[in-house]
């Protein structure tokens, strides 16, 4: 059994027991949240799709931790003008453990 959920403008294929990294969520570590933006659920041979979401379906998740991703370097320059800027960026994320898929 797996589901396709939406979080932070991105879609994730999840099954029970999976650990995923999503955009930062406003939730405490070791708390439980429900994601209600479920796009599709496959249970055995039965596929249920929503338009765009399935009503009444939700995925129960446990917040494992919050953190920051790897640093990326953002470098801008203008040729022949001696203009250079170098910045770094670390995207914050939330790590979730999928506990149960309800439809």
């Amino acid at each position: 059994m797996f589901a396709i959920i939406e979080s932070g403008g991105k879609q994730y294929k999840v099954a029970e027991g999976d650990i995923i990294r999503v955009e930062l969520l406003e939730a405490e570590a070791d708390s439980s949240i429900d994601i209600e933006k479920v796009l599709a659920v496959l249970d055995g041979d039965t596929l249920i799709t929503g338009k765009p979401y399935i009503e009444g379906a939700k995925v129960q998740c446990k917040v494992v931790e919050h953190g920051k991703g790897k640093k990326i370097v953002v470098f801008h320059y203008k040729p022949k003008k001696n203009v250079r800027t170098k910045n770094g960026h670390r995207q914050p994320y939330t790590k979730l453990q999928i506990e149960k898929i309800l439809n």
Side-chain angles (χ1 to χ4, degrees):
M1 177 177 200
F2 72 86
I4 297 175
I5 61 171
E6 181 180 323
S7 178
K10 299 173 183 69
Q11 296 176 3
Y12 302 92
K13 178 182 172 184
V14 297
E16 292 181 8
D18 286 353
I19 295 178
I20 60 171
R21 288 169 57 164
V22 298
E23 296 291 322
L24 188 66
L25 298 174
E26 303 261 341
E28 295 292 322
D30 294 328
S31 66
S32 210
I33 63 169
D34 291 338
I35 297 176
E36 296 179 352
K37 292 185 175 183
V38 181
L39 299 165
V41 174
L42 180 69
D43 188 9
D45 292 333
T46 308
L47 176 67
I48 304 168
T49 58
K51 297 179 183 176
Y53 306 115
I54 301 172
E55 289 189 32
K58 62 183 175 180
V59 175
Q60 293 178 346
C61 305
K62 178 184 173 193
V63 178
V64 177
E65 68 177 359
H66 299 289
K68 290 184 180 180
K70 287 186 158 185
K71 180 178 271 193
I72 62 167
V73 176
V74 182
F75 187 73
H76 296 285
Y77 80 101
K78 296 189 186 282
K80 299 179 223 156
K81 302 296 180 191
N82 199 23
V83 176
R84 293 174 179 84
T85 56
K86 180 179 177 182
N87 295 316
H89 176 73
R90 294 180 70 191
Q91 185 69 24
Y93 68 86
T94 299
K95 192 180 281 190
L96 298 176
Q97 180 174 11
I98 309 301
E99 293 182 334
K100 190 177 274 191
I101 299 172
L102 304 169
N103 57 348

